[in-house]
Amino acid sequence: MTAASHAEHHHTSLGVDSRKLGMWALIASECLLFGSLIATYLIYRSQSVAGPSPAQILDIPVTSVSTFVLLMSSFSIVLALHGIQSGDIAAFRRYILLTALGGTVFLGFQTYEFTHFVQSGLGFSTNVFGSSFFMLTGTHGTHVAVGVIWLLSLYFSSVRGKLTEDAAIKVDTMALYWHFVDVIWIVIFTVVYLFVFV
Amino acid sequence: MTEAVLPHPRENYGLSSWLTTVDHKRIGILYGVTAVVFACVGGIEAMLIRTQLIVPNNTFLSPDLFNAMFTMHGTTMIFMFVMPLNAAFFNYIVPLQIGARDVAFPRLNALSYWVFLFGGLLFHLSFVTGHLPEVGWFGYANITTKQFTPGPEVGLLGSVIPKGLQYPVSGTEFWIVGLQLLGLASLIASINFIVTILNLRAPGMTPMRMPLFTWVTLITNFLLLLALPVITVALFQILLDRHFGTRFYDIGAGGTVMLWQHLFWVFGHPEVYILILPPMGMVSEVLPTFSRKPLFGYPAMVYASAAIAFLGFSVWAHHMFTTGMGAMATAIFSAATMLIAIPTGVKIFNWISTMWGGSLRMTTAMWFAVGFLAEFTIGGLSGIMHASPPIDGQHQDTYFVVAHFHYVLFGGSVFGLFAGLYYWFPKFSGRLLSEPIGKVHFWLTAIGFNLTFFPMHFLGVDGMPRRIYTYAPGFNLETWNFWSSIGAYITLLSALVFFYNVFVSLRGRQKAPADPWDARTLEWAIASPPPAYNFASLPDVQARDDFWYRKHEAKTFKPEPEHVHVVLPNPSYWPLIVGAGITLMGAGFLFAYVLTFIGVAVTLVGAYGWSFAKFEG
Ligand code: HEM
Ligand SMILES: [Cu+2]
């Protein structure tokens, strides 16, 4: 491949890498996905015929901790991106692992929360609050899990020396996804947990 | 620029070349052929429906089978015929119109096709199991719950797999899983086309120089991108209700079926623009070419399309006027719906003005475009009628509505698609369709279509409900039902004439030139069919309708490079594998859950292979 055709191939009309633009498009779509889940939750949270109700079961302090951890992982992925952009591979690997760790801790908290809820009598099929709560937070958790797998894949392909071509843009695209997953969690945390008092 | 001669080595014949192709033109052909096959299935179902209704108290179809037929017919026509046929045109035409060599994500493009194909096949597998969906194309809750469509006691895999591991198959599951996959396919495609149009335009191809078909493709794909996730959530809710006992649509537990209606129509109304906007774009290419005039009011057409799409998200509850939403909501949604008539009217007048004073060439493509204008306008007018809630109260669930939406879906979308097919067929195949046979085809379609659907207006106001398997004599319904069915058979005949036309034209010797119609847009600047790399050197666009401008005014053409060196993406098996994995994930909910786990594994392996395969160069 000659340099000229390479440049032509990567020429884009908007000057943004297509993968990143694609991620923006996906995020737009995800907004409607979570929007529908949140709408369902808001309609159903106080509609149940039988308990437990949100106020009886949701634990704001515990979830605040996991929220904090998730937010910090957004910070660490910025550092990872900075590492790969400035050629500091060691820093990149360190921070990408840290980000994955943050995601995993969040998932750990969620697993704890879910088991605790089930033990206290709130399952998927207990009432409409339970159904909509688990579907909303579960979908978010799945997004975090996909993100963790993606982060670890980036880490391992870097270690195995396969993350060479376009590495920065790959990490950039991933970071965009990760920030989205964090931002949408802030919305969910507000709507599901903090709105308990509303 | 002249560079070393070395077209990329790639096989372009044989089955494996089709299974691994990432060329947007071949994927377009795959989409098109598959959509036409599904159209035949949906068409046969329509004939069965009309045969059952030809005389009162008919027993040709059982009530159950009748329900299954209109469900399969509606779902197939929308999701497996018009949407993928639109996608076929997006695929084939849009990269050519913007002067690109391929789409932004060629492998995602292939994945989208495979998921569409497998989703459609899975949906139709319900024929084999004998449990067909009977819930209508909108699958209203709570008909879709286990309570009302439970399915049989044992799963399809009988004694092969222990009872606890498999799921009793009901037609509803096929509908849910099929739609979920078809939606995913369109979602993947939408991201691909949005990025392609935004990012891969040739130098000088500014937004306001893009052909109108490219514009509506962009807009339609935004609609897909934003509407599909809503139905995805709704479909998951009923799937979870059926499989894991969630309570979303359990009235006893406080669930509300209105939620389904809202979610479905938040998707469903944009969906009707997803079906009609691309054919509108095709008509907007055909009319200027055969009037030998630029599209009248191009900017107004762009803004009107965008306005239609935007308003399309704020009118969904006009499908719910009779549910008792309250006076305020009803009034607002009614007014918003009527607003859409304004940009739509702008378009109609612009099309008419495009023809006004032009030197018209009445080719078959042109006839279908003019037919589109006439039939779509009738459908639009009956649409404004039931934008008024009191009138809608009379129309809801009668044949008047069936007449209305066939005027927009068939008279609109399908006529527009035929215009596009006759227009671009030489580009796809290198052969022109026969014009004399085409005219016969057009007139038979127009007569058959109007005879089928115009009487349905009368049947509707005479009180015939839709989705009813028969009617009693003596209610003034016999005559028009009879003629409607005769019209359906004429429409069937017209389809046969079309296939005959395709058959003889493909076998004919006469090759189509690059620009058989003296057309205006870039796809006509290159050979028919185009070479794998499309443009030897990327066009350098200077005006709207650049190709026309160069032909007739500037008379300057960029010299063709003597040698072409273009790096094309390698063919790949991974899209097929990932597509199969995703399908297995869905199939688990139809047969046995183990399939879902196998599907996840296949998808993951496929995704890794995909990421690390050497794709370019
Ligand atoms: C000759 C062609 C066609 C005939 C004779 C035909 C006939 C019919 C009839 C009689 C019904 C009403 C069934 C009932 O309510 O009992 C129906 C429903 C429907 N048709 Fe068609 N149709 C044709 C083509 C199309 C096309 C091209 C499309 C879409 C692009 C389409 C989409 C639908 C939809 C969405 C429904 C509603 C199904 C439901 O109620 O769930 N049809 N068709
Ligand atoms: Cu609508």
Side-chain angles (χ1 to χ4, degrees):
Chain A
M1 188 194 282
T2 62
S5 76
H6 191 87
E8 183 178 85
H9 187 76
H10 284 270
H11 166 83
T12 61
S13 312
L14 296 185
V16 188
D17 186 272
S18 288
R19 283 163 283 186
K20 219 176 149 185
L21 199 60
M23 182 53 75
W24 278 113
L26 178 70
I27 286 173
S29 188
E30 294 266 6
C31 285
L32 272 288
L33 185 93
F34 281 103
S36 310
L37 291 167
I38 290 170
T40 304
Y41 177 80
L42 284 177
I43 292 168
Y44 276 168
R45 63 173 183 159
S46 53
Q47 211 49 7
S48 302
V49 191
S53 71
Q56 285 166 337
I57 202 154
L58 295 177
D59 187 342
I60 298 180
V62 170
T63 317
S64 303
V65 176
S66 68
T67 304
F68 179 76
V69 173
L70 195 64
L71 287 187
M72 284 305 107
S73 74
S74 243
F75 183 53
S76 70
I77 200 162
V78 172
L79 295 176
L81 180 61
H82 180 71
I84 196 106
Q85 281 170 343
S86 58
D88 186 350
I89 299 297
F92 161 70
R93 287 181 191 161
R94 195 162 58 241
Y95 286 117
I96 204 102
L97 266 190
L98 193 64
T99 313
L101 183 68
T104 316
V105 169
F106 178 86
L107 287 175
F109 268 90
Q110 196 170 47
T111 319
Y112 162 77
E113 186 191 37
F114 282 10
T115 27
H116 175 72
F117 283 1
V118 171
Q119 279 158 4
S120 348
L122 181 75
F124 220 42
S125 51
T126 309
N127 54 26
V128 287
F129 157 60
S131 299
S132 52
F133 169 82
F134 282 109
M135 189 174 178
L136 170 58
T137 52
T139 307
H140 180 265
T142 312
H143 278 74
V144 176
V146 168
V148 169
I149 296 175
W150 190 354
L151 287 164
L152 291 177
S153 314
L154 283 173
Y155 172 77
F156 283 112
S157 60
S158 162
V159 170
R160 287 166 61 214
K162 290 198 167 178
L163 190 68
T164 46
E165 211 189 310
D166 295 349
I169 199 75
K170 283 180 182 160
V171 179
D172 204 355
T173 308
M174 164 63 204
L176 195 54
Y177 173 83
W178 193 252
H179 292 318
F180 168 75
V181 171
D182 281 6
V183 169
I184 204 73
W185 178 253
I186 299 180
V187 178
I188 295 172
F189 182 65
T190 312
V191 169
V192 175
Y193 294 84
L194 301 184
F195 277 17
V196 165
F197 305 113
V198 180
Chain B
M1 110 192 71
T2 43
E3 286 165 11
V5 201
L6 252 190
H8 197 87
R10 53 203 263 132
E11 277 186 74
N12 39 27
Y13 51 88
L15 180 65
S16 75
S17 79
W18 287 99
L19 294 177
T20 59
T21 186
V22 292
D23 178 344
H24 70 97
K25 297 180 287 302
R26 300 185 122 212
I27 294 174
I29 289 174
L30 286 172
Y31 256 114
V33 171
T34 315
V36 170
V37 171
F38 280 131
C40 295
V41 178
I44 293 170
E45 285 152 0
M47 294 309 132
L48 297 178
I49 294 173
R50 276 319 319 168
T51 305
Q52 164 64 19
L53 294 175
I54 192 167
V55 289
N57 288 335
N58 202 357
T59 52
F60 176 69
L61 295 179
S62 69
D64 266 335
L65 201 53
F66 186 88
N67 290 352
M69 282 306 113
F70 72 68
T71 304
M72 297 298 282
H73 164 73
T75 311
T76 304
M77 285 300 197
I78 288 178
F79 294 95
M80 284 157 259
F81 166 42
V82 175
M83 282 172 79
L85 195 53
N86 284 340
F89 284 96
F90 301 163
N91 259 299
Y92 207 106
I93 301 300
V94 166
L96 304 181
Q97 283 197 331
I98 61 172
R101 295 218 167 99
D102 208 324
V103 290
F105 307 111
R107 289 185 299 181
L108 278 186
N109 203 16
L111 175 65
S112 153
Y113 171 73
W114 294 117
V115 174
F116 151 64
L117 175 70
F118 295 151
L121 290 178
L122 210 59
F123 177 73
H124 279 92
L125 206 62
S126 56
F127 272 113
V128 181
T129 67
H131 299 285
L132 292 157
E134 299 181 16
V135 292
W137 85 277
F138 36 76
Y140 273 175
N142 48 4
I143 312 175
T144 44
T145 57
K146 245 176 142 171
Q147 189 187 353
F148 294 105
T149 43
E153 280 299 296
V154 283
L156 199 73
L157 299 177
S159 53
V160 183
I161 278 187
K163 207 174 164 211
L165 287 178
Q166 51 172 312
Y167 188 79
V169 187
S170 115
T172 307
E173 249 82 27
F174 283 94
W175 184 82
I176 298 171
V177 175
L179 278 201
Q180 201 72 291
L181 290 172
L182 294 163
L184 180 67
S186 293
L187 185 73
I188 297 170
S190 73
I191 294 178
N192 188 18
F193 287 115
I194 288 171
V195 175
T196 303
I197 297 173
L198 291 181
N199 236 2
L200 295 194
R201 280 167 287 131
M205 181 60 83
T206 56
M208 290 316 263
R209 286 181 188 162
M210 296 194 316
L212 207 84
F213 181 65
T214 298
W215 259 113
V216 296
T217 303
L218 181 66
I219 293 168
T220 304
N221 281 290
F222 267 109
L223 285 176
L224 284 164
L225 184 79
L226 301 177
L228 284 167
V230 183
I231 195 177
T232 303
V233 167
L235 288 170
F236 268 124
Q237 287 171 346
I238 47 175
L239 195 68
L240 292 172
D241 269 9
R242 293 184 67 94
H243 283 256
F244 304 112
T246 54
R247 301 297 188 92
F248 290 107
Y249 297 107
D250 181 345
I251 314 297
T256 160
V257 293
M258 287 284 277
L259 178 65
W260 172 270
Q261 293 205 18
H262 278 294
L263 292 177
F264 184 83
W265 289 114
V266 166
F267 151 79
H269 191 83
E271 169 71 19
V272 306
Y273 294 117
I274 290 164
L275 299 170
I276 195 68
L277 279 172
M280 284 178 166
M282 296 170 198
V283 168
S284 306
E285 303 291 322
V286 170
L287 289 175
T289 298
F290 296 110
S291 308
R292 298 177 65 86
K293 272 179 67 190
L295 184 66
F296 185 88
Y298 170 95
M301 287 301 254
V302 172
Y303 299 137
S305 307
I308 289 177
F310 182 77
L311 289 174
F313 271 104
S314 55
V315 298
W316 75 89
H318 62 207
H319 297 271
M320 301 165 64
F321 284 154
T322 55
T323 56
M325 292 180 294
M328 190 50 122
T330 303
I332 291 173
F333 280 106
S334 166
T337 304
M338 291 181 187
L339 264 185
I340 295 195
I342 297 173
T344 313
V346 167
K347 294 191 132 194
I348 305 253
F349 285 114
N350 279 346
W351 284 319
I352 296 174
S353 310
T354 303
M355 291 192 287
W356 188 267
S359 48
L360 305 186
R361 278 178 296 159
M362 295 310 288
T363 58
T364 311
M366 186 67 167
W367 272 116
F368 270 107
V370 175
F372 166 95
L373 276 184
E375 317 294 8
F376 177 76
T377 304
I378 297 176
L381 290 177
S382 57
I384 303 177
M385 290 170 76
H386 36 248
S388 158
I391 298 181
D392 183 66
Q394 296 298 307
H395 289 175
Q396 166 101 13
D397 266 328
T398 71
Y399 259 82
F400 192 91
V401 171
V402 180
H404 156 70
F405 68 69
H406 283 91
Y407 266 88
V408 287
L409 285 177
F410 195 130
S413 300
V414 177
F415 273 58
L417 284 162
F418 272 128
L421 268 174
Y422 276 89
Y423 181 58
W424 278 303
F425 192 83
K427 192 49 65 185
F428 302 152
S429 66
R431 298 282 193 285
L432 282 155
L433 285 172
S434 150
E435 283 293 320
I437 307 179
K439 303 261 162 66
V440 175
H441 171 213
F442 169 75
W443 283 110
L444 273 179
T445 312
I447 293 167
F449 162 76
N450 282 298
L451 184 57
T452 313
F453 294 109
F454 208 84
M456 290 188 188
H457 292 111
F458 307 144
L459 289 170
V461 285
D462 279 346
M464 174 149 166
R466 92 191 246 212
R467 304 185 210 111
I468 194 97
Y469 78 103
T470 194
Y471 51 95
F475 291 95
N476 200 17
L477 303 175
E478 294 92 329
T479 319
W480 288 123
N481 266 308
F482 174 78
W483 284 109
S484 174
S485 297
I486 299 298
Y489 302 141
I490 298 177
T491 315
L492 173 68
L493 184 66
S494 78
L496 297 179
V497 172
F498 172 69
F499 287 124
Y500 177 71
N501 196 351
V502 172
F503 179 73
V504 292
S505 306
L506 282 181
R507 296 199 35 175
R509 272 161 215 277
Q510 206 199 344
K511 292 244 162 109
D515 178 23
W517 312 120
D518 192 10
R520 319 180 69 85
T521 42
L522 281 177
E523 72 270 30
W524 304 103
I526 51 177
S528 306
Y533 49 80
N534 299 349
F535 297 92
S537 64
L538 288 185
D540 159 31
V541 180
Q542 315 231 317
R544 190 180 299 153
D545 289 344
D546 187 68
F547 177 53
W548 173 274
Y549 171 74
R550 284 177 198 275
K551 268 192 304 193
H552 295 280
E553 285 166 40
K555 308 217 190 302
T556 57
F557 285 93
K558 208 173 171 182
E560 284 290 296
E562 280 175 39
H563 302 300
V564 191
H565 175 96
V566 179
V567 185
L568 288 172
N570 286 331
S572 169
Y573 270 113
W574 295 114
L576 182 60
I577 293 170
V578 174
I582 293 174
T583 310
L584 277 176
M585 277 156 58
F589 291 90
L590 302 177
F591 304 107
Y593 293 132
V594 285
L595 290 179
T596 301
F597 294 108
I598 300 175
V600 172
V602 173
T603 308
L604 277 179
V605 171
Y608 273 85
W610 180 310
S611 312
F612 293 113
K614 186 165 165 45
F615 183 47
E616 284 171 350

